[in-house]
Amino acid sequence: PYAILFLGLLVARVNLGFTLSYYRSISAIRLYSAFQTVEILASLTALALLTLFFHKGLVEVLGAFIAIDFFLILGVLGDITRREGGIVCQPYWPVLRKYLQYSLPLVPTVALYWILNSSDRYVIVHYLGLEQAGIYSAAYRLGQVLKLLVQPISFVLLPLVSRMWEAGRKDQVR
């Protein structure tokens, strides 16, 4: 059941990230942050309630995470539908083809990045043991704290720089 639940969680998180990217595209960063904050707080609350008070296991926690993401996706889709006056499910193929030609070659890179980020822990467990993998994982997470400083800047700066580049203001981009 764990593999199926992790797959469900993966699908839910990918879809939540995809729907939340709408707010980023319209520069509604406060709404984007609000939905992410709700997701984090709800997940932490569910984790605490299920493990500490109801003594439930990983299956129930994963199910709660999937349910939280599902309800947030519905909320975001409802808001998008309200803002846009409906959702059109008929793609405009000439534009979509151009975007797919650009983005599909990037898929192997993302997959390899994911494999690289995950596989190092398996190699450490295999050669050095579970304790050393735990130490490595904790040290790796501490290093990720620095990412908290850079992520908000790149999150806001990249769309702004792209918009200025497309507008022909290349000296401002430099």
Side-chain angles (χ1 to χ4, degrees):
Y2 293 122
I4 294 170
L5 285 171
F6 276 115
L7 181 62
L9 184 61
L10 176 68
V11 169
R13 291 282 157 101
V14 166
N15 283 313
L16 181 60
F18 181 71
T19 54
L20 282 176
S21 66
Y22 168 80
Y23 295 120
R24 187 175 176 194
S25 70
I26 64 168
S27 297
I29 302 302
R30 286 189 179 145
L31 274 172
Y32 180 90
S33 298
F35 273 104
Q36 279 196 319
T37 302
V38 166
E39 192 259 332
I40 291 168
L41 291 176
S43 295
L44 288 174
T45 303
L47 179 65
L49 287 175
L50 289 172
T51 56
L52 297 176
F53 296 111
F54 298 118
H55 305 290
K56 298 293 181 181
L58 186 59
V59 171
E60 289 82 6
V61 170
L62 290 174
F65 287 172
I66 292 169
I68 290 166
D69 288 354
F70 176 73
F71 285 117
L72 283 172
I73 290 167
L74 289 179
V76 172
L77 286 176
D79 186 49
I80 292 171
T81 304
R82 183 186 57 79
R83 287 173 180 266
E84 299 295 329
I87 296 177
V88 178
C89 292
Q90 184 176 3
Y92 185 61
W93 291 108
V95 173
L96 187 60
R97 184 176 293 116
K98 180 178 81 167
Y99 290 138
L100 286 175
Q101 285 175 343
Y102 171 75
S103 62
L104 283 179
L106 299 174
V107 171
T109 304
V110 173
L112 289 173
Y113 181 75
W114 178 75
I115 290 169
L116 182 64
N117 273 343
S118 304
S119 64
D120 57 352
R121 289 164 186 85
Y122 294 112
V123 171
I124 291 172
V125 167
H126 181 71
Y127 287 111
L128 300 177
L130 194 56
E131 181 182 355
Q132 294 301 317
I135 293 169
Y136 170 79
S137 187
Y140 187 84
R141 290 291 172 200
L142 284 174
Q144 291 288 326
V145 171
L146 293 175
K147 192 175 181 181
L148 289 173
L149 302 173
V150 176
Q151 185 96 20
I153 295 169
S154 65
F155 182 80
V156 173
L157 193 60
L158 183 62
L160 178 67
V161 168
S162 299
R163 198 174 306 129
M164 288 189 320
W165 183 270
E166 289 174 356
R169 300 184 307 199
K170 295 178 182 170
D171 24 325
Q172 286 182 329
V173 170
R174 285 187 201 103

